[in-house]
Amino acid sequence: MRSTVIRPLSDATRARNGCISLRRFSLTAGRLRSVEAEKCEQNNASNNVKGGDKSAILHSKLDTKPPTIVGSNGNYLIAEGGREILDASGGAAVACIGHNNSRVNNAIMRQLQSFSYIYAPFFTSKVSEKLAALLSESTQNQLSKAFIVSSGTEAIEAALKMARQYFLELPNPEPSRTRFIARRQSYHGNTLGSLSLGGHVGRRAPYAPMLTTNISHVSPCYSYRGKRAQETDEDYVARLAQELEDEFQAVGPGNVCAFVAETVSGTTLGCVPPAPGYLQAMKKVCDRHGALFILDEVMSGMGRTGTLHAWEQEGVVPDLQTVAKGLGGGYAPIGALLVNKRVVEALDQGTGGFIHSQTYQGHPVACSAAYEVQKIIKEENLLQNVQNLGEYLGKSLKEELGDHKHVGDIRGRGFFWGIEFVKDKGTKEPFPADQKIAALIHKAGMSEHSISFIPGTGVADGKNGDIIQIAPPYNATKADIDLIVERTALVVKQVLG
């Protein structure tokens, strides 16, 4: 397979851009520090304005402007001054074929030169129809319709509405079904509806009085911390299934619209795959009580775990599924709700439509980008690459960091891996939240080793517990993986000793 990933610039090119090669290091105060980082920090000092960020953009931190990106190539983002940042996380597990792919760029331009926008309730486009057909066919038409939106959060909001409407459209309507059950330490988006569904304590806390009260939460499937000593996978899954059954009984089985879970958890747990048989057991509980089974694959779907849909590896088919990040690879904002044919049939026999819309749903430019991304994934056999090198990535991370005294767990699947850090490896005691370990690792990676991870917090109990996520592009080579692992190990050992 020919990789489209671009290698780093030469030292000569770096020098012209005002940066020294990352591979040349100096020891400063007993700690490994890149000369490149020192030089580039001086060149980019204007990015960090003491006493307040003067940018008109409301950045996540008001006193700090993040690095300004001026270019990209393959695995690398190029910052002002020429510094190349190895994007080991694909942003937020988004850039699934790397940056600046000419095929996708050209597809976007062709669509722009034809027409850029239509209002989907009034019109359709060939490219949105092709993308929807591709998505349906990828599920063997078990999920027979796609509602194309602009983000994963929008897809989740649509899923909640679709679940409710489904029960109103049945031949014998069930209007009492207004409740949802999700999981603690989950994440499903940042609007009030999706934030209510998620179980991330820190993100929910400021808005708790505004969140809906018709959602309850059960334990996640998190073997590293949730599985008891001497408990088998079967026993653990049975206990979680019973907890879900108990929650159905507590809120009234006839009141539940759906159970919602991430197929493989995202940043709020850190790439935790489900225990064998877990999702099948959860679906059985839903089926027993007539509730829908919704899988959130915004982060883990569209090839990230080695199959186009993560649920393909679990022996289940959802009633509703959300996708986003790997759908368009970051070339345009896009997400989708995939709808099981039995849900579609209920709507078809009822009102004949979905009582919901978004201004930019089915946006032609975004659909063009996503369709081309999906063609590239298929034509270049990138799912096989993720399967093959994903196993190698996990093995390499464990070889380099598995024995580190502050690395508690390394888990994942495909090109979706998380490293959990602990204060005490034996007891699994997390670092206190105020030590901000994940943030320190992310900062050291960016400033001193020019590598970007996704940091996450609260994985242990909603407040404490730190992880980083690694999510390379699907066309990464073995050499790319080796470089990611090498720099990751350097950063972790620098920060944690």
Side-chain angles (χ1 to χ4, degrees), residues 14 20-25 34 36 448-450 487:
R14 289 173 181 270
I20 307 301
S21 171
L22 178 67
R23 289 188 171 83
R24 296 207 292 270
F25 293 96
S34 72
E36 177 189 357
E448 303 195 32
H449 299 284
S450 288
R487 293 194 190 179

Side-chain angles (χ1 to χ4, degrees), residues 254-336:
N255 296 327
V256 179
C257 270
F259 170 67
V260 187
E262 298 157 285
T263 310
V264 178
S265 70
T267 310
T268 53
L269 277 184
C271 306
V272 179
Y278 167 76
L279 290 176
Q280 292 178 346
M282 299 300 106
K283 190 174 188 302
K284 285 181 180 178
V285 176
C286 293
D287 291 346
R288 185 184 307 139
H289 300 297
L292 296 183
F293 181 66
I294 302 176
L295 291 180
D296 179 348
E297 296 199 1
V298 166
M299 186 171 265
S300 65
M302 300 313 296
R304 178 56 61 190
T305 65
T307 50
L308 202 60
H309 307 290
W311 53 259
E312 294 179 71
Q313 301 171 54
E314 301 302 327
V316 296
V317 179
D319 295 305
L320 299 171
Q321 176 193 355
T322 58
V323 296
K325 298 176 187 292
L327 177 59
Y331 287 87
I334 191 166

Side-chain angles (χ1 to χ4, degrees), residues 71-388:
S72 64
N73 262 322
N75 286 349
Y76 294 85
L77 296 170
I78 304 169
E80 259 183 345
R83 183 162 68 103
E84 293 172 332
I85 300 169
L86 176 57
D87 190 7
S89 62
V94 173
C96 62
I97 60 168
H99 301 280
N100 209 3
N101 184 286
S102 60
R103 278 186 57 177
V104 184
N105 292 346
N106 290 336
I108 290 171
M109 287 305 301
R110 287 194 300 271
Q111 184 59 51
L112 283 170
Q113 290 164 355
S114 177
F115 59 94
S116 60
Y117 171 73
I118 55 172
Y119 186 43
F122 295 169
F123 308 101
T124 190
S125 65
K126 290 183 178 180
V127 69
S128 63
E129 297 286 350
K130 287 196 301 183
L131 180 61
L134 180 153
L135 289 169
S136 179
E137 289 164 7
S138 72
T139 72
Q140 290 75 52
N141 297 313
Q142 295 174 97
L143 305 181
S144 61
K145 297 286 184 182
F147 183 74
I148 301 170
V149 290
S150 300
S151 70
T153 294
E154 289 180 22
I156 285 289
E157 293 282 345
L160 298 179
K161 289 185 175 181
M162 178 65 78
R164 169 62 175 168
Q165 188 179 339
Y166 167 75
F167 287 106
L168 297 178
E169 303 272 325
L170 292 173
N172 295 309
E174 301 179 40
S176 65
R177 291 191 184 264
T178 60
R179 298 193 62 91
F180 293 85
I181 302 173
R183 306 189 302 181
R184 292 188 287 275
Q185 291 142 283
S186 61
Y187 180 68
H188 299 290
N190 252 336
T191 56
L192 290 177
S194 60
L195 193 62
S196 299
L197 188 66
H200 189 279
V201 174
R203 294 178 183 179
R204 288 170 55 93
Y207 312 107
M210 302 166 62
L211 301 181
T212 181
T213 58
N214 67 326
I215 296 171
S216 53
H217 297 86
V218 295
S219 299
C221 185
Y222 184 14
S223 295
Y224 175 65
R225 291 191 177 276
K227 190 176 171 184
R228 296 169 181 165
Q230 310 305 318
E231 192 172 36
T232 65
D233 283 339
E234 291 79 6
D235 290 341
Y236 180 43
V237 166
R239 178 160 59 86
L240 293 176
Q242 186 59 52
E243 182 182 352
L244 181 60
E245 172 66 31
D246 292 345
E247 187 61 25
F248 265 87
Q249 296 301 328
V251 301
N255 296 327
V256 179
C257 270
F259 170 67
V260 187
E262 298 157 285
T263 310
V264 178
S265 70
T267 310
T268 53
L269 277 184
C271 306
V272 179
Y278 167 76
L279 290 176
Q280 292 178 346
M282 299 300 106
K283 190 174 188 302
K284 285 181 180 178
V285 176
C286 293
D287 291 346
R288 185 184 307 139
H289 300 297
L292 296 183
F293 181 66
I294 302 176
L295 291 180
D296 179 348
E297 296 199 1
V298 166
M299 186 171 265
S300 65
M302 300 313 296
R304 178 56 61 190
T305 65
T307 50
L308 202 60
H309 307 290
W311 53 259
E312 294 179 71
Q313 301 171 54
E314 301 302 327
V316 296
V317 179
D319 295 305
L320 299 171
Q321 176 193 355
T322 58
V323 296
K325 298 176 187 292
L327 177 59
Y331 287 87
I334 191 166
L337 169 65
L338 308 185
V339 186
N340 193 293
K341 59 185 179 182
R342 79 180 181 98
V343 177
V344 174
E345 287 169 0
L347 267 63
D348 189 46
Q349 296 169 12
T351 59
F354 184 24
I355 309 172
H356 176 60
S357 68
Q358 301 276 175
T359 299
Y360 298 109
Q361 71 187 68
H363 195 284
V365 176
C367 289
S368 296
Y371 187 72
E372 195 66 27
V373 167
Q374 296 308 310
K375 283 175 60 181
I376 290 169
I377 290 172
K378 183 176 182 179
E379 291 169 10
E380 298 189 8
N381 200 25
L382 297 187
L383 294 182
Q384 188 64 52
N385 190 56
V386 173
Q387 292 171 25
N388 295 342

